[in-house]
Amino acid sequence: MTNQFDLNSKVALVIEDSPTQATHLQAILEQEGIQVLCAINGRMGLRMAHQLHPDVIILDIQMPEVNGFEVCKMLKASSDVADVPIILFTRWDATEAVQLGLEYGAIDYIPKDAFADAVLIETLRQMGIVNRED
């Protein structure tokens, strides 16, 4: 099976261990014209980021083996992908977690709540990843 990507579209790498959450994110991002690749854990996400150089990475924190903080820290320490923006998108909303995520190089930290999808899409609009509808 081959992936056919539109070279004019932006590509998001979603690193999320919950298939339900990954499918949900894929649906809302594709609705905005973003091509989505999914990794089911941190190790796979690291490999895919290095191979594919996405336009943005949307990263969960609570994952087995390698958590999102570790993935973020490793990506930002690697010169070939350090410039890829990372958005932490997670249920974990403790103040210390937000602070730690931003210290590790994430550009935003979005808690999964009733407004999370709208906040994510607006963040991507402000970044120029989603085209503005004027």
Side-chain angles (χ1 to χ4, degrees), residues 2-108:
T2 60
N3 288 330
Q4 298 200 350
F5 289 113
D6 175 356
L7 297 178
N8 296 319
S9 293
K10 299 291 186 178
V11 176
L13 173 59
V14 172
I15 306 173
E16 170 65 67
D17 64 320
S18 163
T20 303
Q21 286 293 320
T23 301
H24 173 75
L25 282 169
Q26 183 172 7
I28 66 167
L29 295 170
E30 286 178 347
Q31 206 169 32
E32 297 294 330
I34 298 171
Q35 295 179 61
V36 180
L37 304 166
C38 293
I40 60 170
N41 60 49
R43 289 190 200 290
M44 178 186 283
L46 286 165
R47 275 194 310 276
M48 289 176 73
H50 286 284
Q51 291 171 349
L52 303 168
H53 299 278
D55 295 294
V56 65
I57 295 170
I58 300 168
L59 176 61
D60 188 21
I61 290 176
Q62 293 176 300
M63 294 185 291
E65 295 181 39
V66 183
N67 71 40
F69 291 127
E70 293 167 330
V71 171
C72 186
K73 191 174 180 180
M74 285 186 258
L75 289 169
K76 290 304 174 181
S78 181
S79 61
D80 67 323
V81 291
D83 62 333
V84 176
I86 298 171
I87 298 171
L88 295 173
F89 193 78
T90 184
R91 292 198 189 288
W92 200 13
D93 62 356
T95 304
E96 299 81 18
V98 174
Q99 193 171 20
L100 188 61
L102 297 174
E103 284 175 18
Y104 282 163
I107 62 156
D108 204 352

